[in-house]
Amino acid sequence: MCVVGARPNFMKIAPILRAFAAHQPPVPAFLVHTGQHYDASMSDKLFEDLALPRPDLNLEVGSGSHAVQTAEVMKRFEPALDEHKPSCVLVVGDVNSTLACSLVAVKKGVPVVHVEAGLRSGDRRMPEEINRVLTDQISDRLYTTERSALANLQREGVAAERVCFAGNVMIDSLHASRPRARNAADTLRAHGHDAGVLNGAAGYGVVTLHRPSNVDHAEVLRALLETLRTVAQRLPLVFALHPRTRANIERFGLAELVDPARMILLPPQGYLEMLGLMGGAALVLTDSGGLQEETTALGVPCLTLRENTERPITVEQGTNTMVGRDRAAILAGVDDILAGRGKHGRVPEYWDGHAAERIAADLWRWLSQPRAEH
Ligand code: UD1
């Protein structure tokens, strides 16, 4: 039983389902969507872009506080487990649905399999960090995307035998979808913008922001938008706005900080649109985990507007630089990249488009072992 809930889960599960189907013998899968993300732009469009099958079951939990959302997923997931009796529950990433379904499964004695295990930002104020730590503690089989994850897990008492370094399934999706990426100019035109703005000497930048720590406080969001407005004088910026961020810009009365000639606000974008926008960009400014990885795989310089990252390999080997929310650091990072001093990076080990196949093979072997060994 494979679980997805929120946007970043969809690109992780797509290659896993494909690898399960291609495995000999095929690994049967039942797809549950918790409904944590429900907007067409946050969910349906991505299913389409990633050629994901329709979920076998949608729990339709919707939005709520963390407690309400997590509890609602748990309540609605339990009967599905009782009814379908899967051999394991496979969860991906670090969203509330990941933890909620793992918790239900482990208490029912159903093995939990976690894809993208062992990533740690070290920052427990992030809801995702709590979800990561707890999910890994109750998982029976853990698949990691980078080698540093094993050390994190061992520090928390997870036995190395439970852990398998499989690589990055997000990058499997990127490889599979890149030929279908949508041209950036077409994306702008589709939203009624003049695509000529992309053709300036400096190119263009792509921005995404949605972390509560960056967008939920008026003063923090104001300062970030002011800095981005300054960046936009150097190169035009295309924003793909998360619903939370759009709502907060309105609520805090910050819309006047947006320079419409140089800052293009788009609704949340599909996967193929994002790939096209990122692929053609001079740089990406983001607080997303997924974009840190995708820019590294694409070789596009990334400035991460956070103090920490759970994906250190993107900084050590990839194109990522942590700049926090500090205005001077952000502007200096942009200057460096525009002067050709940005990171070129290299693609990390096992970010090769075959991670899901390694997971399918390992999981099949693992599930075939006598039960007592689990
Ligand atoms: C969730 C994940 C985060 C991930 C992000 C990607 C958790 C704790 N966080 O954060 O790790 O990076 O998804 O987007 O699980 N909303 C809509 N339409 C939707 C979904 C949400 O308008 O389809 C709005 C609602 O106002 C909602 C808010 O966005 O209250 C936040 O949604 P939620 O799922 O709680 O968390 P995200 O901030 O999206």
Side-chain angles (χ1 to χ4, degrees), residues 168-209:
N168 196 330
V169 289
M170 283 270 279
I171 307 307
D172 292 5
S173 265
L174 188 143
H175 279 252
S177 307
R178 205 163 177 211
R180 290 181 295 123
R182 189 158 189 214
N183 179 279
D186 289 344
T187 300
L188 255 58
R189 281 191 217 103
H191 292 281
H193 294 282
D194 175 7
V197 72
L198 304 178
N199 300 330
Y204 68 95
V206 170
V207 182
T208 81
L209 282 178

Side-chain angles (χ1 to χ4, degrees), residues 5-9 35-43 62-66 69-70 93-98 126-129 131-132 210-212 215-216 242-245 247 268 287-290:
R7 185 170 61 178
N9 294 162
Q36 176 174 344
H37 283 176
Y38 44 85
D39 278 359
S41 64
M42 300 288 281
S43 181
S63 299
S65 69
H66 284 266
Q69 193 173 58
T70 308
D94 55 16
V95 303
N96 286 342
S97 303
T98 308
M126 277 180 87
E128 293 82 1
E129 183 78 350
N131 294 340
R132 291 179 198 120
H210 75 282
R211 295 271 155 225
V215 305
D216 280 3
H242 188 283
R244 171 199 285 278
T245 311
D287 59 10
S288 149

Side-chain angles (χ1 to χ4, degrees), residues 46-373:
L46 290 142
F47 267 70
E48 214 177 281
D49 289 355
L50 293 158
L52 267 168
R54 277 173 66 85
D56 296 291
L57 178 66
N58 192 323
L59 303 177
E60 297 180 351
V61 296
S63 299
S65 69
H66 284 266
V68 166
Q69 193 173 58
T70 308
E72 211 47 60
V73 173
M74 290 181 71
K75 270 166 63 182
R76 297 183 192 198
F77 186 61
E78 182 170 39
L81 262 192
D82 289 342
E83 185 183 342
H84 298 284
K85 302 189 176 31
S87 350
C88 69
V89 167
L90 182 148
V91 295
V92 296
D94 55 16
V95 303
N96 286 342
S97 303
T98 308
L99 174 61
C101 295
S102 306
L103 201 46
V104 175
V106 71
K107 293 216 175 170
K108 291 198 159 268
V110 179
V112 177
V113 176
H114 186 204
V115 174
E116 198 187 88
L119 296 181
R120 296 290 180 269
S121 67
D123 179 358
R124 294 220 169 170
R125 290 166 305 179
M126 277 180 87
E128 293 82 1
E129 183 78 350
I130 306 298
N131 294 340
R132 291 179 198 120
V133 170
L134 297 179
T135 302
D136 286 339
Q137 275 300 320
I138 55 178
S139 290
D140 296 276
R141 192 81 187 135
L142 300 91
Y143 294 106
T144 57
T145 55
E146 58 173 89
R147 288 195 185 272
S148 69
L150 177 60
N152 294 335
L153 291 167
Q154 287 186 297
R155 208 176 305 121
E156 293 169 12
V158 176
E161 304 81 69
R162 292 186 174 201
V163 182
C164 169
F165 175 43
N168 196 330
V169 289
M170 283 270 279
I171 307 307
D172 292 5
S173 265
L174 188 143
H175 279 252
S177 307
R178 205 163 177 211
R180 290 181 295 123
R182 189 158 189 214
N183 179 279
D186 289 344
T187 300
L188 255 58
R189 281 191 217 103
H191 292 281
H193 294 282
D194 175 7
V197 72
L198 304 178
N199 300 330
Y204 68 95
V206 170
V207 182
T208 81
L209 282 178
H210 75 282
R211 295 271 155 225
S213 54
N214 279 340
V215 305
D216 280 3
H217 310 285
E219 284 322 304
V220 172
L221 186 55
R222 168 185 294 281
L224 273 174
L225 286 175
E226 281 169 350
T227 302
L228 292 171
R229 191 183 163 95
T230 305
V231 172
Q233 306 316 307
R234 303 279 319 272
L235 83 171
L237 297 178
V238 180
F239 290 65
L241 270 194
H242 188 283
R244 171 199 285 278
T245 311
R246 181 176 292 272
N248 287 346
I249 289 176
E250 295 296 325
R251 186 156 66 97
F252 302 146
L254 300 175
E256 89 269 7
L257 291 175
V258 174
D259 171 359
R262 306 286 294 174
M263 298 161 83
I264 296 167
L265 304 196
L266 301 178
Q269 290 300 297
Y271 184 64
L272 301 176
E273 284 79 3
M274 275 315 285
L275 283 186
L277 284 168
M278 284 191 288
L283 58 89
V284 170
L285 293 135
T286 191
D287 59 10
S288 149
L291 265 68
Q292 294 173 52
E293 298 186 335
E294 288 163 344
T295 47
T296 276
L298 291 167
V300 173
C302 177
L303 298 174
T304 296
L305 306 173
R306 285 173 45 189
E307 306 297 334
N308 48 56
T309 180
E310 59 288 333
R311 294 161 160 91
I313 204 164
T314 60
V315 176
E316 289 152 13
Q317 296 184 14
T319 58
N320 191 16
T321 305
M322 309 301 295
V323 287
R325 293 194 290 257
D326 181 67
R327 181 180 168 86
I330 295 169
L331 296 178
V334 171
D335 279 348
D336 277 347
I337 292 167
L338 294 186
R341 296 189 300 267
K343 289 187 184 179
H344 297 293
R346 63 182 154 99
V347 177
E349 187 183 5
Y350 277 5
W351 291 26
D352 58 357
H354 299 290
E357 291 157 37
R358 287 187 282 270
I359 290 173
D362 179 85
L363 187 63
W364 183 262
R365 188 191 52 73
W366 185 75
L367 285 172
S368 310
Q369 287 170 0
R371 192 74 170 170
E373 288 183 26

